Amino acid sequence: MLHAEPFASDEEYRRTYFDAWEAADLGSAKDVDRPLIAQLGGDDPHTILRAARILEPHVDAIDINFGCPTEDARRGGHNTHSPHCRRYGAYLLRDPQLVAKIVGTVAAGLRRVPVTAKIRLLPHRQATLELAMAIEEAGAAALCVHGRTIAQRPKYAERDGLGQSSLSPSWEAIADVRRSVNIPVISNGGIETRLEAVACLQQTGAAAVMSAEALLEDPALFSADRAGEVQADPQSDISRMLRLGREFLDLAETFTCPLKYPPTKSHLFKMLHRMIGADQATARRKEALVAARKSNSNAVLMILSLAICSEASYSEDFEMYSQVSLDEPEQELFVDIVISSARAAQCLVLDEVSPNNFCCKLLVPAYYAGGMIGKRGKNMTQIEKLTQTSMSMSGVDVFFPGTQDRMLTIFATTKRSFVNGVEAIVREMWRMSQQPGQAQQNHHFVVKLVVPNSAAGKIIGRDGSNTREMKRATGCRISISRRNPGIQERVVVLLASKDGCLVQGAVNVLECIQDDPHLHEHMDFKYDVELPLGCWDCGKPGPAEPDAELMTLEEARVLPKRCIVEHLMKAAPREILVRHRLLGGMRKILKVKTHDMILAALEEALRSIPDQNQDVERSKPHVSGMLPVGLLTNEP
Ligand SMILES: Cc1cc2nc3c(=O)[nH]c(=O)nc-3n(C[C@H](O)[C@H](O)[C@H](O)COP(=O)(O)O)c2cc1C
């Protein structure tokens, strides 16, 4: 429905909400959606006529809405789009004279196309019949009757305390209307299958049927090969709906919607929600996903629908997607749908296409790399597909010099997919770091980026102004390593306690270096230098007493907690104290930290200092080189 008042007066409203200006010129050309009837809502006959005249050259008929029962209709939309309208839709039915005047004015004022009307039932049979006759007499060419009254609203049945039976549309009442007028009557309300459509035509004698809710849920409802029966095999119904979803998205991509937030996702949700067994509000909640995975055999659809209806961000879609495990053909379809729906919701807009690819190199700790790649590269391939990027990881034992980190490059042709790729990788590393037993669990997490020497100045900015600003904007600590001989690259270390901050930080730094003329020369994995481990440590404050030598683990095991903490406060790099929350009041530290937790901090401190590294038992994946220690270098 188009609101007559803004349509008659506001060019922008017209352009936004009506997109068939050329349809009439295309006439009966294939793929053109004709016949096209535009429906108007409003309460002023002349305003509606003005809007109808603008539409007349582009449509096949004008319909007037006397059926809408919403709150907006009750208020006339005057708070938003229609400042002068007092009510529209079904709220005009209590004034049959006004209804007739509107129909009469528009019918008399249009030359080329007919006028039709859509009504609901009135509480009394006779009043409905008189209304229908008045509409016919005023000049309507057809009448659509929704066989429910304004009080019968399935959506609010629970709120209004109405049982299912009292919500059923009355075909009998529609048949009465059909008998009382000579214009074609269209029957509407509660038609959910092809069989019901046929039965309704027979029982009411209507010229046609109209369906809304059920057709939104199953756009193939009336197709000849579906008799409307419930599918015997739920799995094949799921596949059918996924295929329909795919087809719908293809159409949505071909016939783009001018709205800022196209309703593509919500349409897809409608198509899937019945199988999922949850309404949209329920499905939107994250907890629903957890519950569904435990109890709902259609968990896959639940996840898909969450991905589809989530308005939050592409990354949420991705996160949910990554939890799905499907057979190959369904997996393909699933990925396709998530991508397309995200694109439709403008989360994946293909913008800022660059003739030179966007690219970057990240370091991935060796112990995360395998998991990120997945079995036979499956995980990485899916990330690439979903983010529309191209990624490569260096070989199993090909480390960035001076580290035990493998290298990962990301290439993308658009800025958006580049950002999505970086985000997916950072979140994936974060997710792995949060697995039980990982060294970084619940602590600050580090992401390392390799940048050309030539780009360092731009990242740092004048007197460090850029890194300071990025830190403020992203909540991420950013430090840049010193230079190392024989290598034209530096390592940017990002440190934060939240994955969102790290994503922001990484994206900010990497976006800022994309115009560096040497960036692309640094995307390979070949180096002729060998550097000592820890040579990239990049400049966070070291121990409070740099000369104090750390005690060994053996020494510490027999000491009370207080002694070890006091010792660490002097001899351990500050970064480690922060990560292990060993700063602040001693009483509190001793209360919350166990002996083992304090020993873990000592162990990490020992690892971070190359000379003492060999003393440490290597029971866990070590994080040496991950920790920014040493002097801060902000010189490019
Ligand atoms: C999402 C949605 C949008 C609708 N928009 C309109 C509208 O713009 N104009 C109108 O006359 N009816 C509108 N309706 C009402 C339907 O045309 C129909 O009268 C009602 O849903 C009852 O039919 P059903 O039981 O087949 O859903 C809408 C219904 C739905 C579900």
Side-chain angles (χ1 to χ4, degrees), residues 1 39 65 118 146 148 188-191 210-213 216:
M1 188 199 83
Q39 188 186 59
N65 185 334
K118 177 161 179 260
H146 180 182
R148 296 185 179 101
N188 169 235
I191 292 168
M210 174 192 281
S211 163
E213 291 282 7
L216 285 172

Side-chain angles (χ1 to χ4, degrees), residues 434-489:
Q434 300 301 300
Q435 313 265 318
Q438 290 298 339
Q440 299 211 11
Q441 199 183 1
N442 297 327
H443 293 300
H444 284 71
F445 185 73
V446 173
V447 167
K448 292 184 287 180
L449 316 170
V450 177
V451 301
N453 268 344
S454 51
K458 187 149 186 228
I459 298 169
I460 295 166
R462 207 185 163 90
D463 297 328
S465 58
N466 220 7
T467 33
R468 267 200 304 279
E469 174 51 27
M470 284 199 247
K471 181 181 168 190
R472 195 198 56 73
T474 65
C476 194
R477 284 169 70 170
I478 300 171
S479 34
I480 303 191
S481 73
R482 59 177 75 89
R483 286 168 192 255
N484 269 306
I487 187 164
Q488 297 302 311
E489 289 168 357

